[in-house]
């Protein structure tokens, strides 16, 4: 019986699958179909006189003390003048545990537990701006309860390659979805007197050679693919800070890149906040400052040895840089401190942390991000009549992902695993037979590769332990139903290294095939943050579910989807290729490059490549099934022809033609066939998630400002709307277009 645990079902059992119809509605559902507008508050100038006065009282050393880290996650303040340190915290999954002041070791506190929120890919898979606002708002409250000023998040780099180590942290391969999730997240966060630090600016799309790789992107691609979410974060959400990336762009490090930091970010977009470096991403003193960097953060070494510390004092004394120039940076920091009421404000938000309400926020997001990829013969939701036992197989049934790998995680008191979720939700009459099946094993010799930035990802041991395999087979055979929890984890998908391959690690493919062979009633659940090669698995299994590094309540949300309490409504935020060579960066042999990487696919990133080149993906961008079915009808626009400053309103009736309530994401793609310029076959320009009750119909109205149809004209350096006919395509994935409407732009 070693390694074989028979779990009897837990106390909180309730018969969920029967209640699908009435329970599918969650608070986040938008019945109206009217999208909300999210706009942030701009940094004000009302404290400028006070700021000028403060700066006039500061010594050069005090000023420069504010421009660099004085601990791992704070930059300096000036106590005698009442200027506090600027207190930062990672990151994308929730407020990171407290780190020691001068090294990476955890501080060992007992009051730094936090809610673990679903990772970026999961949040984007909700295709729901309200969920993104909830995420930011909930996390903002946690930041304040930990007395922080700046969250090092959101992470919004474009998913250029499925192998990217940080794909799980990032949102999407598509710039429109990316910005529509980033903006409400930032607004929600900053509504709590906390700054967002949008990262990593910009063109930081791989971990391999990230410390020095020089990224070459043509201007149009930069503007249309890699910058829109950053641009919207500044112009719409008014993010108060931005993090400069590690790598180079067009020959210059991104923390000393005048084009990106001064010309684009500040001059073009009007950014008024602070630019913080990524940790140890600075390479110069005067050049960095003059190029637009404000604060240098870093990894352990005496803080006065940073580029923006003693060296800057010396440079100022040698007149290589004027004190007036230093003042500009100090004033920017002071303005953001006033803006979030770290200075001057009496009524700063106090926040709360790891509350039941926040765990429920994490639950709501998780319940909306799970993607149903395949469901033959209505294998799901699982019908429990006659079921006495369920085999739960796979290391991922018990694996926790709040911490792991290299980079920021969350120390949390609650992380419901998939196995615990099932125990919580299944009636006690059902026996759960657990078998680990595969082991998470790495080649000892290559262990250093985990998170080692000079490598292309960790080397896994991909053969199964024969005893573990046998145990899994026996467990599946003797149980009425089997559920395999496979995929990846946050040790394997990690910052600082890209994966070597799309292959499922640890011998999982063989395990899945063998379990499927002995128990045809097997459901495969993938827990992962990035695409994997699941072509063969997907052919054999009748039910395939995709979950993510899905936060504190991930296991409960997953069980609720499997059992039908929640009707799945997540949609893939990126393309699942059949094979890696189908993906644009790989098909063009332009990943990972060497000292330089040129993005040879240009604007054809993600589905733009697959659709333009007619390559069938395994699962397309925007894809996700439901336990009900939807029909789209009566698609129309408010007019037939529009001027450049107008907004197109496209409406469509979404009818729920199945037996249970459910949410559908109406996706609007545009095509221009007779274009004078090279374009992708289609581009996402709008979407709206809508809850529709079984048997009823809701009309969804999507507004597309005509300027969204613009391309970036390199010659004139302007966003330009080409006149003529455009086809608006309405569907529920990039490959399932149900209605088309043609309009004309004058
Ligand atoms: C990461 C950042 C992170 C910083 C501080 C860096 O390695 O790239 O995303 O915020 O560390 O932990």
């Amino acid at each position: 019986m070693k390694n074989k645990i028979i779990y009897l079902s837990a106390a909180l059992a309730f018969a969920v699958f029967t209640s699908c119809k009435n329970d599918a509605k969650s608070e986040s559902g938008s019945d109206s179909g009217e999208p909300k507008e999210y706009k942030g508050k701009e940094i004000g100038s009302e404290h400028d006189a006070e700021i000028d006065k403060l700066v006039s009282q500061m010594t050069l050393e005090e000023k420069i003390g504010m421009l660099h880290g004085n601990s791992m996650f704070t930059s300096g303040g000036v106590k005698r003048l009442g200027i506090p340190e600027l207190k930062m915290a990672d990151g994308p999954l929730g407020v990171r545990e407290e780190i020691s002041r001068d090294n990476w070791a955890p501080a060992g506190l007992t009051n730094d537990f936090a809610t673990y929120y679903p990772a970026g890919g999961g949040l984007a898979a909700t295709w729901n701006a309200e969920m993104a606002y909830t995420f930011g708002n909930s996390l903002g409250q946690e930041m304040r309860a930990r007395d922080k000023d700046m969250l090092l998040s959101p992470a919004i780099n474009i998913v250029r390659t499925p192998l990217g180590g940080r794909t799980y942290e990032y949102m999407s391969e598509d710039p429109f979805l990316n910005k529509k999730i980033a903006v409400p997240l930032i607004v929600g966060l900053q509504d709590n007197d906390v700054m967002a630090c949008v990262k990593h600016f910009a063109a930081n799309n791989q971990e391999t050679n990230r410390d020095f790789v020089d990224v070459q992107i043509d201007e149009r691609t930069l503007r249309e693919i890699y910058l829109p979410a950053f641009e919207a974060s500044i112009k719409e959400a008014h993010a108060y800070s931005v993090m400069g990336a590690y790598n180079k762009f067009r020959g210059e490090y991104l923390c000393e890149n005048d084009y990106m930091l001064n010309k684009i970010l500040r001059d073009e977009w009007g950014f008024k906040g602070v630019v913080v470096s990524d940790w140890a991403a600075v390479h110069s003193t005067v050049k960095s400052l003059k190029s637009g960097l404000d604060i240098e953060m870093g990894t352990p070494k005496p803080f006065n040895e940073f580029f923006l510390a003693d060296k800057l004092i010396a440079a100022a004394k040698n007149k290589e840089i004027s004190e007036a120039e230093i003042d500009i940076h100090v004033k920017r920091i002071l303005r953001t401190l006033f803006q979030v009421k770290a200075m001057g404000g009496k009524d700063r938000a106090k926040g709360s942390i790891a509350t039941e309400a926040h765990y429920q926020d994490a639950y709501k997001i998780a319940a909306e991000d799970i993607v149903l990829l395949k469901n033959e013969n209505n294998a799901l939701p699982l019908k429990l009549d006659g079921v006495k036992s369920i085999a739960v197989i796979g290391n991922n049934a018990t694996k926790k992902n709040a911490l792991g790998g290299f980079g920021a995680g969350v120390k949390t008191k609650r992380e419901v695993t998939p196995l615990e979720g099932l125990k919580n939700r299944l009636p006690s009459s059902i026996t759960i037979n657990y078998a680990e099946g595969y082991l998470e094993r790495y080649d000892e010799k290559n262990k250093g590769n985990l998170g080692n930035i000079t490598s292309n990802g960790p080397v896994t041991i991909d053969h199964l332990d024969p005893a573990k395999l046998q145990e899994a087979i026996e467990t599946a055979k003797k149980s009425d139903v089997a559920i395999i929890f496979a995929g990846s984890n946050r040790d394997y998908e990690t910052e600082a290294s890209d994966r070597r391959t799309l292959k499922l690690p640890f011998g999982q493919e063989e395990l899945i095939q063998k379990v499927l062979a002995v128990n045809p009633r097997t459901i495969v659940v993938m827990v992962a943050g990035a695409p994997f090669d699941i072509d063969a698995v997907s052919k054999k299994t009748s039910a395939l579910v995709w979950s993510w590094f899905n936060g504190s309540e991930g296991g409960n949300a997953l069980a609720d989807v499997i059992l039908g309490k929640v009707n799945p409504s997540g949609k893939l935020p990126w393309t699942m290729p059949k094979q890696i060579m189908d993906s644009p960066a790989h098909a063009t042999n332009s990943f990972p490059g060497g000292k330089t990487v040129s993005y040879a696919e240009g604007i054809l990133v993600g589905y733009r490549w697959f659709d333009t080149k007619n390559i069938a993906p395994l699962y397309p961008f925007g894809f996700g099934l439901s336990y009900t079915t939807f029909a789209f009808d009566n698609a129309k626009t408010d007019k037939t022809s529009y001027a450049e400053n107008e907004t197109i309103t496209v409406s469509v009736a979404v009818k729920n033609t199945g037996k249970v309530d459910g949410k559908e994401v109406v996706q609007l793609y545009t095509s221009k066939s007779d274009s004078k310029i090279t374009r992708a076959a289609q581009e996402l320009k709008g979407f709206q998630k809508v809850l529709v009750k079984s048997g009823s119909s809701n009309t969804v109205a999507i507004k597309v400002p005509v300027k969204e149809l613009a391309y970036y004209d390199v010659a004139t350096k302007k966003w330009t709307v080409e006149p003529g006919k455009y086809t608006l395509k309405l569907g529920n994935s990039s490959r399932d277009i149900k209605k088309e409407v043609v309009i004309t732009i004058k």
Side-chain angles (χ1 to χ4, degrees), residues 303-552:
F303 295 106
N304 64 311
E305 289 177 19
F306 279 23
F307 285 97
L308 300 194
D310 289 357
K311 291 187 185 90
L312 183 57
I313 298 176
K317 287 189 173 158
N318 292 337
K319 308 275 182 248
E320 288 165 53
I321 187 161
S322 68
E323 197 157 338
E325 276 181 90
I326 289 170
D327 290 353
I328 292 174
H329 302 272
V330 173
K331 286 181 186 175
R332 283 180 190 155
I333 300 170
L334 286 168
R335 258 185 229 119
T336 57
L337 287 170
F338 276 105
Q339 185 67 25
V340 297
K341 301 179 189 155
M343 292 178 74
K346 291 190 186 60
D347 54 348
R348 191 174 193 194
K350 294 206 168 39
S352 55
I353 194 157
T355 58
E356 194 52 40
H358 290 182
Y359 288 133
Q360 288 320 309
D361 289 337
Y363 171 85
K364 274 190 245 169
I365 297 161
E368 279 214 17
D369 72 19
I370 294 166
V371 185
L372 180 63
L373 292 177
K374 189 172 177 191
N375 195 18
E376 248 171 34
N377 308 322
N378 295 328
L380 286 171
L382 196 58
K383 287 132 203 105
L384 295 180
D385 353 347
V387 172
K388 294 201 176 63
S389 58
I390 298 182
V392 171
I393 294 168
N395 177 275
N396 263 353
T398 58
K399 178 77 184 176
K400 297 200 174 186
N401 289 301
L403 293 169
F406 180 102
V410 178
K411 189 166 120 190
T412 185
K413 285 193 174 153
R414 187 182 298 180
E415 180 175 354
V416 180
T417 63
L419 178 58
E420 287 164 349
L422 284 171
K423 285 166 68 185
N424 291 342
R425 301 306 206 227
L426 280 168
S428 56
S429 55
I430 293 179
T431 304
I432 298 180
N433 302 316
Y434 173 66
E436 191 178 13
Y438 71 91
L439 297 166
E440 183 193 353
R441 291 191 293 178
Y442 300 93
D443 182 342
E444 278 306 307
K445 282 205 301 293
N446 288 297
K447 219 172 167 199
N449 284 339
L450 261 182
N452 177 345
I453 35 188
T454 60
S455 89
N456 254 15
V459 177
T460 53
I461 294 179
D462 291 336
H463 54 261
L464 295 168
D465 175 273
K468 289 265 164 199
L469 172 62
Q470 202 45 41
E471 181 193 46
I473 291 174
E474 294 307 323
T475 308
K477 259 191 202 163
K478 73 172 189 200
S479 307
D480 297 322
V481 172
I483 310 177
I484 306 180
F485 293 96
S488 166
N489 59 51
R490 284 196 53 238
D491 295 322
Y492 183 55
E493 281 183 52
T494 173
E495 177 185 333
S497 57
D498 297 315
R499 285 183 292 147
R500 289 164 193 269
T501 136
L502 272 188
K503 216 170 120 148
L504 282 173
F506 317 125
Q508 295 180 75
E509 177 103 34
E510 184 190 348
L511 174 75
I512 297 169
Q513 300 287 4
K514 293 205 161 137
V515 169
L516 277 164
V518 297
N519 192 331
R521 223 179 147 188
T522 295
I523 293 152
V524 180
V525 180
M526 295 284 300
V527 176
F532 276 87
D533 176 359
I534 50 169
D535 197 5
V537 169
S538 137
K539 280 193 181 104
K540 291 245 169 82
T541 182
S542 48
L544 183 59
V545 177
W546 189 276
S547 186
W548 309 89
F549 304 138
N550 220 5
S552 284

Side-chain angles (χ1 to χ4, degrees), residues 200-205 209-223 226-227 244-261 263-264 283 287 595-599:
H200 310 84
F201 190 66
N204 175 193
N205 312 92
N209 302 338
R210 71 172 184 181
D211 279 347
F212 58 83
V213 70
D214 183 10
V215 175
Q216 301 289 335
I217 309 179
D218 69 84
E219 191 65 17
R220 181 171 166 215
T221 301
L222 176 74
R223 301 289 182 151
Y226 294 95
L227 293 186
Y246 280 120
N247 50 296
K248 289 180 181 166
F249 175 70
R250 295 187 189 153
E252 302 284 0
Y253 281 108
L254 279 153
C255 287
E256 52 182 57
N257 198 305
D258 178 68
Y259 184 59
M260 295 293 260
L261 301 182
K263 305 268 177 345
I264 295 186
H283 298 265
K287 186 177 177 191
K595 276 193 178 155
T596 299
V597 57
S598 298
Y599 291 8

Side-chain angles (χ1 to χ4, degrees), residues 19-59:
S19 62
C20 194
K21 180 166 174 164
N22 297 325
D23 287 348
K25 177 170 175 150
S26 99
E27 285 161 45
S28 61
S30 159
D31 283 298
S32 64
E34 249 323 288
K36 273 190 199 160
E37 286 266 349
Y38 293 93
K39 273 236 163 278
K41 284 192 244 17
E42 268 191 84
I43 292 182
S45 52
E46 58 273 26
H47 295 284
D48 279 6
E50 206 174 328
I51 288 171
D52 287 347
K53 193 165 162 221
L54 279 169
V55 173
S56 73
Q57 292 168 272
M58 288 165 75
T59 65

Side-chain angles (χ1 to χ4, degrees), residues 73 90 96 166 199-200 210 243 246 278-279 495:
F73 284 93
D90 274 309
R96 186 178 190 163
R166 302 185 87 160
K199 68 190 187 184
H200 310 84
R210 71 172 184 181
M243 185 188 288
Y246 280 120
D278 202 340
W279 267 233
E495 177 185 333

